[in-house]
Amino acid sequence: MEPTINRGLDGINIDTSQICSIDGMKGELIYRGYDISELADKVSLEEVIYLLWEGELPDRQQLDAFRQELSELFTVPTEVIDIFRTLPKDAHPMHAMRTAVSALASFDENPDDVGAANIRRIGAKLVAQFPTFTAAFERIRNGQEPIDPDPGLSIAGNFLFMLSGERPSEAATKVMDVALVLHAEHGTNASTFVARATASTLTDVYSAITAAVSSLKGPLHGGANTAVMQTLEQIGSVEGIEPYVLDTLSQPGGRIMGFGHRVYRVLDPRAIILKEVSRHLAQESGDSKWFEMSLEMERVMDREMARDGKQIKPNVDFFSASVYRMLGFPSDMYTPIFAVARISGWMAHLYEQYGDNRIMRPRLIYEGPMGRAFKPLGER
Ligand code: CMC
């Protein structure tokens, strides 16, 4: 019998999970039994993290205790922040982020113990510190001093505060929070798979998360949000969208960033919510350029994909680009923002993986030569 090959691990189930369900035909995303479209504007990121990690939404007391736990962990060791000062000013924020996660391991008192209590301790620390070091890098590369976290603020509010030094408005904090909730978890996407596969050797959490950050950076995954904005900036106007899309699609392998998904055959439910957030921000700010361009790109892609009989719709990265632009973030920060959210999902998966581990070891079908006659170096 011919062996089966599933390129890109398409359609492969690596295990069972209690964390997240995605129905790509219905366009449904469920965190621990709750529909994302209900969670998005009704709960905070902290509640979602608690839900992903503990399996239940917290009651008031549990939430207060969890917030307190995280706020006590917000501060990143100075030595790790100082590494940013040695990086070139034009270093990619994802390279800086990967370096920071890796460095944090050396400052942890017990990085290698993968027992349940210790990885939960490290998980809280990473969730609390991702926003702190991401904001610190942004300020350092702009010649500014990092701002200490404010233990009284939420993760979303603190992130905005540590970037600008100003108390964010409730509206901006809410938009940030919704974006982070939407990006917190998404099943066995590439970076989560990488985190689980790395952890499956029983290496430490920091190694698994460093690998996950590396995977997220790619333009086919979390790097797509940056690529979307770079594309919109390059096009520059609503009128430029159609020729750009037609030209790109006419090239072999041409891709429009922010479109398509391995699982969704209908519109990504996160994109539906982010589209409305983007529309709202455009109306509020009076700067509708990026939203209008996004709408036009969606329109042209819908028409072209329908013509080719393909179901290629906007994904989470498409409308998050205009949202982050209107919140004032530089485009290369979009993927780090994704990581600030996704660290919670990565950790939820590591709790499952370490909790019932089997090493991941798939196979390749060898098609190279066999039976070759060896020649010593002098005879080749
Ligand atoms: N633009 C144009 N055509 C596309 C696109 C796109 N963005 N995405 C897929 N297609 C076409 C592709 O050319 C192929 O056509 P054909 O069958 O004629 O060769 C067909 O759709 C299937 O594509 P695929 O590459 O086999 O699909 P995949 O499941 O392996 O890849 C993907 C999924 C997300 C990598 C891909 O859709 C893509 O490259 N999208 C652009 C990058 C992007 O937006 N990534 C973010 C993904 S969602 C959030 C996240 O993970 O961060």
Side-chain angles (χ1 to χ4, degrees), residues 220-222 224 255-256 258-262 310 312 315 317 338:
L220 297 187
H221 187 13
R255 303 242 152 166
I256 304 296
F259 285 81
H261 200 276
R262 173 64 62 79
K310 291 182 185 168
I312 306 291
N315 56 50
D317 292 310
F338 195 153

Side-chain angles (χ1 to χ4, degrees), residues 108-292:
D108 191 292
E109 70 266 26
N110 188 15
D112 295 317
D113 168 3
V114 294
N118 196 49
I119 62 173
R120 171 63 181 72
R121 176 188 65 80
I122 296 174
K125 186 154 98 168
L126 288 176
V127 156
Q129 296 188 5
F130 261 55
T132 312
F133 63 66
T134 303
F137 176 72
E138 177 60 13
R139 289 189 65 86
I140 288 171
R141 74 170 171 162
N142 285 305
Q144 299 166 307
E145 273 306 298
I147 290 170
D148 288 338
D150 178 339
L153 291 176
S154 65
I155 293 179
N158 221 346
F159 183 49
L160 296 174
F161 170 66
M162 290 185 290
L163 282 164
S164 69
E166 286 164 25
R167 299 230 139 217
S169 68
E170 248 180 63
T173 306
K174 181 67 191 164
V175 171
M176 192 72 245
D177 202 47
V178 169
L180 295 176
V181 165
L182 291 175
H183 284 81
E185 162 57 16
H186 209 241
T188 4
N189 57 84
S191 58
T192 303
F193 171 70
V194 162
R196 291 189 74 133
T198 307
S200 82
T201 68
L202 295 185
T203 188
D204 64 287
V205 168
Y206 291 98
S207 297
I209 298 298
T210 304
V213 170
S214 311
S215 165
L216 186 75
K217 174 175 173 289
L220 297 187
H221 187 13
N225 52 15
T226 294
V228 170
M229 187 42 71
Q230 286 168 346
T231 304
L232 295 179
E233 280 170 343
Q234 181 200 328
I235 298 170
S237 68
V238 172
E239 298 69 45
I241 294 281
E242 180 152 2
Y244 172 86
V245 172
L246 296 182
D247 180 50
T248 304
L249 294 180
S250 71
Q251 290 163 28
R255 303 242 152 166
I256 304 296
M257 303 313 280
F259 285 81
H261 200 276
R262 173 64 62 79
V263 184
Y264 293 117
R265 289 295 159 265
V266 295
L267 196 56
D268 181 332
R270 303 165 298 174
I272 296 174
I273 299 167
L274 286 165
K275 182 177 178 177
E276 292 318 306
V277 174
S278 181
R279 187 194 306 278
H280 176 74
L281 287 177
Q283 282 162 356
E284 289 282 298
S285 67
D287 174 13
S288 59
K289 176 179 175 179
W290 307 106
F291 179 63
E292 298 292 341

Side-chain angles (χ1 to χ4, degrees), residues 7-20:
R7 291 196 71 228
L9 301 179
D10 195 348
I12 298 291
N13 299 310
I14 58 163
D15 211 329
T16 59
S17 174
Q18 302 289 318
I19 302 168
C20 171

Side-chain angles (χ1 to χ4, degrees), residues 157 212 237 356 361:
S237 68
D356 185 15
R361 206 310 185 185

